[in-house]
Amino acid sequence: MTGAEKDRFWKEFASRHWERRPLSLPAAPVQLDIADEELMRALVLAADKSNRPKGSGLPRVVVTVDGRTQPIDTRPFLPLPEDRSLDEYTARVDERMRAHEWSVAVSGLHAVDAPLWDRAKRLSDDVYRYTGTRVAGRVDIDTFIGRYTSTNVGVHVDHAGNFGFTLRGRKVLLTWPPERTDQVPQHTADYASARDLADVLVGEPGALTYFPSEQLHVGESPDAVAVNVNIAFFTRSDPAGLVLDALGGLLARARADEAEPGAHVTDGIPAAAAATLTALGELTAGEVEDAVWERHMRAVTSGGLGVGRPAGSPVPVPRDARVRTHEDIVVRQRLLADGRRAVATQGHTMKVADHPQVEAAVAALAAGDTLDLADWERRADGAAVPLLHAVLLRMSTWRALDIEAAVAAPAERTEPLQ
């Protein structure tokens, strides 16, 4: 698409569909352009729990057989080393389950795969640019693979606006507006009585489907395996959740020594709990505020994804380079209660010793300015230089920076002596 065509699509989408009505386009002007091998790589990474960012709980893998969630080893339902392609993978599982319906749902793929993180953030940024909305909850990129007559939970509401992209097969989504709630059987596969009341969205390769967050919906792919990738915008969040998560992280750092089994203090509170209460009482308001800020920055700087972009290999930024942030990169900073400076971007936060010249340089990057590092170093205090380069190193591993290496000046020509 040209820029003008894309602009027209998003403007119409924002005015007619976002949180208003479903959309089904057989030839979509917006695509994720996810190659088969990219999805396969992300699924392999998701299968290994050691790849999951600490404390995120992502990705989550749910396998169902004949509509029932399987409390079993999910590994055979995900790509194995012998699966050389997406088609080989789905054919292997479908052959194994030929007498059954099955599905594999993996949410939070962006937590382990940087290209998928980038794609989800780009679509999130486009939604924000044209609708002016950042949802209260998280943004998630997930996949739904399988052959099934209906989604295992039946008709339901996720409270998430959903963009759907189909890589294989054909998936039909039936959706109903919230005012139809009393007419649509929910949490059951027996919804035939409401089928004629539904909006029908068809997902096929090249198509785009969308439904608003409060829509009732159910998916169907009964005849052949369908492979879908979705980006969901959750509109609800727990107001206290941010603070509780931050407190949990602080208390985990101050973990008490294990008490003897069954040991209690005189008022009946377990010793480990009493130690945790003591640690809670020793936290200062500044420490708690800093922890809440850091958790909030995961969402603010990641476009709502809520987890940092998987980091690349660290490569020092040349000291004579020119650096600026990539388009749509959000950078925030804060002076912490312990005197250090925190710099947040791409869902990550790093902390360095505070220095006014580092603060000013980060503020310039946050504003979209270009830093000529050689020029900056000539004017900088010696103590500021390693601090800024520590910040730039981390920002580059999170793909926040556009780095333009200095161009060597041409060698001076000298005329040969006569």
Side-chain angles (χ1 to χ4, degrees):
M1 296 183 68
T2 65
E5 289 172 326
K6 183 177 180 181
D7 184 64
R8 280 196 299 272
F9 165 80
W10 278 115
K11 285 179 176 176
E12 180 177 358
F13 174 83
S15 65
R16 297 189 59 194
H17 295 281
W18 175 250
E19 287 297 278
R20 290 181 179 87
R21 65 182 72 174
L23 172 67
S24 183
L25 293 176
V30 171
Q31 289 291 328
L32 289 182
D33 295 323
I34 296 176
D36 293 356
E37 57 270 19
E38 288 181 294
L39 181 58
M40 289 283 284
R41 180 186 64 235
L43 290 171
V44 169
L45 291 170
D48 186 348
K49 293 183 179 180
S50 67
N51 293 321
R52 299 175 186 178
K54 185 178 179 180
S56 73
L58 298 175
R60 300 187 187 95
V61 180
V62 176
V63 172
T64 67
V65 175
D66 293 332
R68 295 179 179 272
T69 302
Q70 299 299 297
I72 57 176
D73 180 14
T74 60
R75 192 70 191 90
F77 289 87
L78 293 168
L80 298 174
E82 59 264 30
D83 298 324
R84 294 172 296 179
S85 68
L86 181 62
D87 291 329
E88 282 196 12
Y89 154 57
T90 57
R92 173 181 60 78
V93 179
D94 200 39
E95 173 61 22
R96 173 178 175 173
M97 305 304 297
R98 60 184 179 274
H100 304 274
E101 295 186 3
W102 63 277
S103 70
V104 177
V106 185
S107 59
L109 284 171
H110 59 282
V112 293
D113 188 80
L116 292 187
W117 193 98
D118 292 337
R119 284 172 167 79
K121 183 175 185 294
R122 185 162 57 245
L123 192 138
S124 177
D125 288 338
D126 281 339
V127 167
Y128 174 63
R129 185 177 293 111
Y130 286 92
T131 69
T133 301
R134 289 287 191 196
V135 292
R138 62 190 173 87
V139 178
D140 182 41
I141 185 166
D142 60 67
T143 186
F144 207 88
I145 301 169
R147 175 178 46 76
Y148 43 89
T149 54
S150 71
T151 310
N152 66 302
V153 294
V155 179
H156 62 289
V157 178
D158 290 324
H159 303 294
N162 186 286
F163 291 84
F165 305 88
T166 303
L167 275 64
R168 289 289 191 284
R170 185 176 190 270
K171 180 174 182 177
V172 172
L173 285 163
L174 305 180
T175 74
W176 297 264
E179 53 266 26
R180 297 279 194 187
T181 297
D182 293 340
Q183 300 169 271
V184 183
Q186 296 171 51
H187 305 294
T188 173
D190 184 13
Y191 50 84
S193 61
R195 180 177 288 274
D196 290 342
L197 302 175
D199 289 309
V200 180
L201 316 182
V202 179
E204 294 177 318
L208 168 68
T209 61
Y210 165 79
F211 58 84
S213 61
E214 298 307 309
Q215 293 274 130
L216 299 156
H217 61 278
V218 68
E220 302 175 341
S221 181
D223 301 322
V225 175
V227 179
N228 294 85
V229 176
N230 309 302
I231 298 186
F233 290 73
F234 289 85
T235 55
R236 298 187 177 185
S237 64
D238 177 6
L242 184 64
V243 175
L244 294 176
D245 288 345
L247 283 172
L250 287 172
L251 294 174
R253 300 174 197 170
R255 184 177 301 167
D257 293 336
E258 290 188 15
E260 291 296 323
H264 289 74
V265 293
T266 55
D267 59 2
I269 297 176
T276 301
L277 287 173
T278 299
L280 178 63
E282 292 173 350
L283 293 174
T284 67
E287 288 177 296
V288 176
E289 288 179 7
D290 289 344
V292 171
W293 177 87
E294 182 174 349
R295 294 266 171 167
H296 184 47
M297 286 305 105
R298 291 183 187 176
V300 169
T301 66
S302 67
L305 295 173
V307 64
R309 182 186 191 274
S313 300
V315 178
V317 177
R319 297 181 66 171
D320 56 354
R322 290 165 54 86
V323 298
R324 57 185 172 273
T325 56
H326 289 297
E327 185 181 7
D328 290 328
I329 297 296
V330 177
V331 180
R332 296 288 186 269
Q333 59 179 323
R334 177 183 176 90
L335 181 62
L336 301 174
D338 64 8
R340 292 181 297 168
R341 178 156 298 277
V343 178
T345 189
Q346 298 284 75
H348 295 276
T349 301
M350 72 163 299
K351 304 173 182 73
V352 295
D354 186 38
H355 194 289
Q357 290 176 330
V358 174
E359 177 188 6
V362 171
L365 289 171
D369 296 341
T370 298
L371 280 183
D372 184 319
L373 294 181
D375 180 63
W376 182 86
E377 282 197 23
R378 282 193 291 271
R379 296 178 287 106
D381 177 69
V385 174
L387 295 176
L388 180 62
H389 275 278
V391 171
L392 296 178
L393 174 64
R394 300 292 290 278
M395 290 180 71
S396 69
T397 66
W398 304 328
R399 200 178 175 273
L401 293 179
D402 181 11
I403 302 171
E404 180 184 338
V407 178
E412 184 179 348
R413 288 189 61 185
T414 58
E415 294 297 326
L417 295 175
Q418 298 297 319

